[in-house]
Amino acid sequence: DQQVKQNSPSLSVQEGRISILNCDYTNSMFDYFLWYKKYPAEGPTFLISISSIKDKNEDGRFTVFLNKSAKHLSLHIVPSQPGDSAVYFCAASGSGGGADGLTFGKGTHLIIQP
Amino acid sequence: DGGITQSPKYLFRKEGQNVTLSCEQNLNHDAMYWYRQDPGQGLRLIYYSQIVNDFQKGDIAEGYSVSREKKESFPLTVTSAQKNPTAFYLCASTSIFTGGLTEAFFGQGTRLTVV
């Protein structure tokens, strides 16, 4: 059973607009969430994270929102740029601080159109 | 520059052969991980190690083996028992003794193809 779900395999957004990527989780023990960006044939790179004690974390153009009651988080990218085109993975870790590994969603392929 | 190095980038293996993927980090990280990515799938955890000479199975450990003889190195062996070894393999590391989780850093991956 998938514990981290990204229900949109792909998303197309016009350059300059807002990109919103969604992620749902089922395991209530998850308390730390991360977003990674990945280009083909490369390793993922860390973007932004949020602890369960917060509901928002912002870093430049990237903001992550967490709704614990709904077990839902989202990544907002504003404004979207062509270099943002990539696959975005949502990941979560449990009370062990993630030392025992991360649980990943299947990813959302973001396409920024000029 | 600090980072994680995986080698080789591309690897071909004949059916029935074992093959070892290399992962080295100079970030002084305590924990190291191996993930596997298949097309249209997320990353799935194979094995992880939080300390030298100790490691634990992840979600899909069958057909794989690892060792952690040095803090910097965490090689993964794909054995002939692994039924579907063709995949993209990613190594990661993180520091876990800093009072909280820091994000995991990933290598560039190894594409393994069974021919």
Side-chain angles (χ1 to χ4, degrees), chain A residues 52-106:
Chain A
S52 60
I53 62 173
K54 295 185 175 181
D55 57 15
K56 177 182 175 181
N57 189 25
E58 194 171 355
D59 184 1
R61 296 186 299 115
F62 302 93
T63 302
V64 56
F65 296 92
L66 175 63
N67 182 335
K68 280 187 66 178
S69 60
K71 294 191 177 66
H72 176 84
L73 63 154
S74 60
L75 174 69
H76 292 210
I77 306 173
V78 182
S80 299
Q81 299 174 354
D84 296 331
S85 294
V87 177
Y88 290 78
F89 289 98
C90 172
S93 70
S95 56
D100 50 354
L102 298 170
T103 301
F104 285 84
K106 293 187 176 183

Side-chain angles (χ1 to χ4, degrees), chain B residues 1 5 7 9 33 35 46 56 60-61 72-74 81 86 99 102:
Chain B
D1 286 336
T5 302
S7 61
K9 190 167 178 66
Y33 309 83
Y35 291 89
I46 302 172
Q56 284 77 39
I60 54 167
E72 303 79 16
S73 178
F74 192 41
T86 295
T102 58

Side-chain angles (χ1 to χ4, degrees), chain B residues 6 21 34-38 46 60 64 76 78 82 84-91 107-113:
Chain B
Q6 290 186 240
L21 283 61
W34 276 104
Y35 291 89
R36 166 183 172 143
Q37 185 190 15
D38 295 283
I46 302 172
I60 54 167
Y64 299 98
L76 173 75
V78 184
Q82 168 50 233
N84 297 297
T86 295
F88 190 53
Y89 291 87
L90 287 157
C91 179
Q108 290 300 293
T110 293
R111 169 79 58 189
L112 173 64
T113 304

Side-chain angles (χ1 to χ4, degrees), chain A residues 27-43:
Chain A
N27 189 339
S28 58
M29 298 301 292
F30 287 148
D31 61 1
Y32 191 73
F33 304 90
L34 308 90
W35 284 94
Y36 281 86
K37 176 181 180 180
K38 186 181 181 300
Y39 295 116
E42 293 186 10

